């Protein structure tokens, strides 16, 4: 939930049910806490109810608030390293099929990406596997428009009928999210995959199930690092009238 919307609800005197809060501590670290109820905002301070007690934090420390109680919030305390993600070149089909009509199969969207530890992160610490989410807008023969969402890798899968950052975050902070050591690639006697031309050393692939013959007119992709979106990329077909942030419905 955007901060200005949160302020508007409080000003209107509307009750807020338990949700999830992301805030920055005094040393700049981001923390995630679930089962939080916002009681009031006054004098640039935010008063929260957590369990049976209350806490007060500066409003400027608030990063995001979701009106959803995200499972696992406040439990993501580990020693994995934070990292940046750089997105490379994508390959997007025009519709949901590829190949001739006799050998037609479901098309795929692919994009290259690279991860880099953030400055100061220890080389000995492993990384959480990046989670990427792709949102696609299509146009059918009758002029109907449809929204599709896809996840990479399979472990990141979550059902979304619209862009839902809270659902993605819940997957990202889940304790069963895999970890890996990127420096170990190529050290097991097997050559690293050849991804020449994709602008990255790794490749994400999304199978575009459900689109079929509909034309792809826009897409939006987000890449999650340890516990936040680290990169995003989008495209729109200029031949169609599409709202700027069409994925937010």
């Amino acid at each position: 939930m955007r901060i200005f919307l949160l302020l508007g609800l409080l000003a209107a005197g509307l009750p807020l049910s338990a949700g999830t809060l992301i805030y920055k501590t005094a040393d700049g670290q981001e923390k995630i806490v679930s089962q939080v109820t916002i009681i009031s905002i006054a004098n640039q301070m935010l008063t929260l109810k957590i369990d049976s007690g209350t806490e007060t934090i500066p409003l400027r420390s608030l990063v995001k608030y979701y009106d959803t109680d995200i499972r696992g919030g406040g439990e993501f305390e580990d020693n994995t390293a934070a990292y940046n993600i750089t997105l490379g070149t994508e390959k997007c089909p025009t519709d949901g099929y590829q190949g001739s009509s006799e050998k037609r199969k479901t098309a795929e969207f692919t994009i290259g990406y690279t991860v880099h530890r953030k400055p100061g992160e220890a080389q000995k610490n492993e990384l959480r596997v990046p989670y990427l989410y792709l949102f696609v807008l299509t146009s059918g023969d009758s002029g109907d428009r449809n929204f599709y969402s896809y996840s990479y890798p399979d472990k990141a899968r979550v059902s979304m009928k619209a862009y839902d950052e809270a659902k993605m975050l819940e997957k990202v902070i889940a304790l069963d999210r895999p970890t890996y050591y990127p420096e170990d690639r190529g050290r097991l006697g097997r050559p690293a995959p050849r991804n020449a031309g994709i602008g990255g050393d790794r490749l994400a692939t999304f199978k575009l199930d459900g689109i079929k013959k509909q034309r792809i007119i826009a897409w939006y992709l987000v890449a999650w690092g340890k516990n936040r979106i680290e990169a995003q990329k989008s495209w729109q077909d200029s031949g169609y009238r599409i709202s700027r942030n069409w994925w937010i419905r």
Side-chain angles (χ1 to χ4, degrees), residues 150-163:
Y150 303 95
S151 311
Y152 179 87
D154 288 341
K155 192 77 172 180
R157 185 174 301 165
V158 59
S159 177
M160 286 182 282
K161 294 183 179 180
Y163 180 86

Side-chain angles (χ1 to χ4, degrees), residues 14-203:
L14 298 177
L16 292 174
S17 57
T20 301
L21 186 85
I22 303 178
Y23 72 98
K24 283 189 176 181
T25 62
D27 60 0
Q29 296 295 314
E30 288 192 4
K31 298 294 183 182
I32 304 171
V33 183
S34 288
Q35 297 183 337
V36 171
T37 301
I38 296 180
I39 299 174
S40 67
I41 297 177
N43 300 320
Q44 298 300 308
M45 299 298 289
L46 188 63
T47 302
L48 317 166
K49 181 179 179 181
I50 305 175
D51 296 327
S52 59
T54 60
E55 289 283 346
T56 301
I57 64 172
L59 183 58
R60 65 177 181 274
S61 299
L62 179 62
V63 177
K64 284 188 178 180
Y65 174 81
Y66 301 98
D67 55 356
T68 299
D69 187 22
I70 298 173
R71 290 173 295 177
E75 298 175 5
F76 197 72
E77 297 291 341
D78 60 33
N79 293 319
T80 60
Y83 57 92
N84 296 312
I85 300 175
T86 302
L87 296 173
T89 304
E90 74 282 343
K91 290 184 179 180
C92 181
T94 57
D95 58 32
Y97 286 133
Q98 63 185 40
S100 62
S101 58
E102 295 81 11
K103 297 182 179 180
R104 188 171 62 185
K105 62 180 182 178
T106 301
E108 294 179 339
F109 177 106
T110 61
I111 188 166
Y113 69 96
T114 304
V115 301
H116 301 283
R117 293 177 189 270
K118 291 192 174 184
E121 294 289 336
Q123 290 290 322
K124 66 179 182 179
N125 292 343
E126 56 195 333
L127 275 58
R128 295 277 173 179
V129 169
Y131 278 4
L132 283 74
Y133 294 92
L134 174 69
F135 304 91
V136 177
L137 183 67
T138 65
S139 177
D141 291 337
S142 61
D144 55 312
R145 292 189 178 182
N146 294 293
F147 176 95
Y148 298 87
S149 66
Y150 303 95
S151 311
Y152 179 87
D154 288 341
K155 192 77 172 180
R157 185 174 301 165
V158 59
S159 177
M160 286 182 282
K161 294 183 179 180
Y163 180 86
D164 192 330
E165 203 167 294
K167 283 189 175 181
M168 289 184 278
L169 179 61
E170 187 170 273
K171 277 287 185 178
V172 165
I173 65 175
L175 295 179
D176 64 348
R177 183 181 176 190
T179 60
Y180 76 114
Y181 287 91
E183 295 80 10
D184 286 355
R185 298 183 68 207
R187 295 184 180 179
L188 300 177
R190 296 191 297 269
R194 294 182 178 180
N195 295 325
I198 67 170
D201 58 10
R202 304 179 73 84
L203 185 69

Side-chain angles (χ1 to χ4, degrees), residues 202-214:
R202 304 179 73 84
L203 185 69
T205 302
F206 303 85
K207 190 174 182 180
L208 302 180
D209 293 314
I211 293 179
K212 299 181 180 179
K213 293 183 179 180
Q214 298 176 89

